[in-house]
Amino acid sequence: MEIIEKINRFPTVRLLWGNTPIVRAANISRETGVELYVKRDDLTGLALGGNKTRKLEFLMGEALASKCDTVITAGAVHSNHALQTAASSKKLGLYPILVLRGKEENIGNLLMDKLLRADVRVYDVKTGGELNDIMLGIAAELEKKGRKPMVIPIGGSNPTGALGYIKAAAEILEQERELGLDFDYVISPSSSGGTQAGLLFGFNVLKPKTRVFNIGVGDPRDELIEAVLKLINDISGILGIKTEINRETIESATIDGYGFGGYGTIVREVIEVIMYAASREGFYLDPVYSGKAFCGMLDLISKGIIPRGSKVLFIHTGGLGGVFQYEKIIGDML
Ligand SMILES: Cc1ncc(COP(=O)(O)O)c(C=O)c1O
């Protein structure tokens, strides 16, 4: 397969334990009328797991290949990406600096960041743009001192990171063959767009008949679509492979309506869905990403947009730390 050969030429480090399991959700399947399977990317094996491990296999591969000694990334204080970046940096002997925004409290992912002795810096800023500027400032200072930092964008969503989800698409196809399955739909949450871009690209090249739906978790739709379009074009550029994906394809794959007032809002509807999945199948979704996406998927099924009898794969992208980050708010909703 040409695309796999091309991806394999990029430097990588192994951070996942191996292929993540695809598990049948028997109780929810019975109750919803679809055949639901869950790809447990929450069980990647690094820190608390999650989709960022796949991106970091490529991003950290690039950091090591270009002889960086420091990795700087950014996000909200609950950022799963920041924790995963810190954990992989520590494993590989690199120095992680996390540029975070929000309230500094030693709970959830921020506590986990500190437990692995990441250099955590929390700022009172509102936007990702401000965090980017801070990262660039820190990198410039370090360079003056002779250090070699690499700045990883929020969410690890650049074309190199997105390769991790093209590889995940290939892994899903391999598992379909092993398990005798043929998914009609693959569903994932989408926020900074790297997971979405990788999955759309991968399935478009490898198995176009599978419908990929990416459920927004409250970021502005236009910005997400713009980010995914740019990523798809940039991936095409670095791989030298063209796809038929265009703005319309991305628009129809991007599902809105389940952001519940915006990114990072913690709402009762989603907590109910977390409890539903946990009480039926024994796994935990998170309140910021996978819980909102699961909520969206259940609604698409109930409206018949995903018809009964379909074979559906939900990609559980992790985020468990978010449950603990927001334990007070969630606790008050029980
Ligand atoms: C648990 C979890 N799920 C999904 C996402 C969304 O992935 P992406 O940023 O690649 O769109 C993130 C990103 O932060 C995440 O932490």
Side-chain angles (χ1 to χ4, degrees):
M1 209 73 78
E2 187 201 5
I3 188 165
I4 305 301
E5 278 163 25
K6 290 195 167 175
I7 284 176
N8 286 341
R9 287 187 211 143
F10 285 78
T12 53
V13 285
R14 199 64 179 145
L15 296 171
L16 278 96
W17 279 337
N19 291 356
T20 57
I22 289 184
V23 183
R24 185 172 151 75
N27 296 323
I28 299 180
S29 294
R30 202 173 42 250
E31 289 175 5
T32 58
V34 300
E35 283 187 48
L36 178 66
Y37 291 78
V38 180
K39 179 143 177 80
R40 298 292 305 272
D41 273 10
D42 57 319
L43 301 179
T44 54
L46 181 73
L48 297 183
N51 59 341
K52 301 301 150 62
T53 317
R54 292 190 183 274
K55 298 182 184 182
L56 286 161
E57 289 200 326
F58 286 86
L59 293 163
M60 289 294 171
E62 185 178 301
L64 291 182
S66 50
K67 306 251 178 308
C68 289
D69 51 33
T70 304
V71 170
I72 309 170
T73 199
V77 279
H78 64 232
S79 170
N80 303 301
H81 163 68
L83 174 58
Q84 292 273 302
T85 304
S88 50
S89 302
K90 287 288 179 176
K91 229 170 119 66
L92 300 169
L94 304 176
Y95 185 82
I97 301 179
L98 307 182
V99 175
L100 305 177
R101 66 177 168 84
K103 186 165 166 223
E104 185 161 4
E105 274 182 298
N106 290 334
I107 54 170
N109 279 340
L110 191 63
L111 176 69
M112 305 308 276
D113 296 335
K114 291 185 180 180
L115 284 177
L116 50 77
R117 298 189 202 282
D119 181 341
V120 177
R121 307 180 189 184
V122 183
Y123 298 86
D124 183 17
V125 295
K126 292 273 173 295
T127 64
E130 289 167 282
L131 292 179
N132 278 335
D133 292 343
I134 296 169
M135 285 201 288
L136 295 178
I138 295 172
E141 280 304 310
L142 290 173
E143 272 162 10
K144 271 191 225 150
K145 291 182 187 151
R147 299 258 297 274
K148 187 125 198 287
M150 180 167 115
V151 174
I152 297 182
I154 293 173
S157 284
N158 63 14
T160 308
L163 295 179
Y165 267 88
I166 299 182
K167 202 170 161 192
E171 182 178 307
I172 293 167
L173 263 55
E174 183 190 322
Q175 289 175 304
E176 279 188 323
R177 282 190 291 274
E178 282 165 14
L179 299 168
L181 292 167
D182 178 7
F183 293 115
D184 303 305
Y185 295 89
V186 169
I187 319 271
S188 82
S190 188
S191 178
S192 63
T195 305
Q196 172 168 2
L199 286 173
L200 283 175
F201 201 105
F203 275 96
N204 190 274
V205 174
L206 296 167
K207 194 187 169 206
K209 79 173 178 124
T210 295
R211 196 80 211 267
V212 178
F213 279 149
N214 309 99
I215 301 185
V217 297
D219 302 275
R221 178 178 173 85
D222 292 352
E223 285 173 26
L224 176 59
I225 287 170
E226 221 40 68
V228 175
L229 187 58
K230 178 165 184 346
L231 280 167
I232 297 276
N233 289 335
D234 291 350
I235 297 168
S236 270
I238 61 172
L239 290 180
I241 294 176
K242 290 222 174 335
T243 68
E244 292 113 46
I245 305 169
N246 54 30
R247 187 180 292 273
E248 288 73 53
T249 332
I250 297 169
E251 277 176 357
S252 64
T254 309
I255 310 294
D256 264 338
Y258 307 100
F260 297 100
Y263 173 80
T265 53
I266 309 296
V267 296
R268 184 177 296 279
E269 289 95 320
V270 175
I271 306 308
E272 295 283 347
V273 164
I274 293 176
M275 291 168 82
Y276 174 64
S279 62
R280 293 302 191 279
E281 305 293 346
F283 64 79
Y284 292 94
L285 299 163
D286 84 283
V288 179
Y289 301 97
S290 55
K292 288 186 177 177
F294 207 86
C295 191
M297 177 189 71
L298 291 176
D299 197 43
L300 296 180
I301 295 168
S302 76
K303 288 180 174 149
I305 295 168
I306 296 177
R308 289 174 81 82
S310 304
K311 292 191 183 58
V312 180
L313 181 68
F314 180 81
I315 304 188
H316 187 337
T317 50
L320 185 63
V323 172
F324 300 104
Q325 195 84 40
Y326 296 106
E327 62 188 11
K328 177 85 181 61
I329 307 176
I330 297 172
D332 288 346
M333 286 179 185
L334 299 181

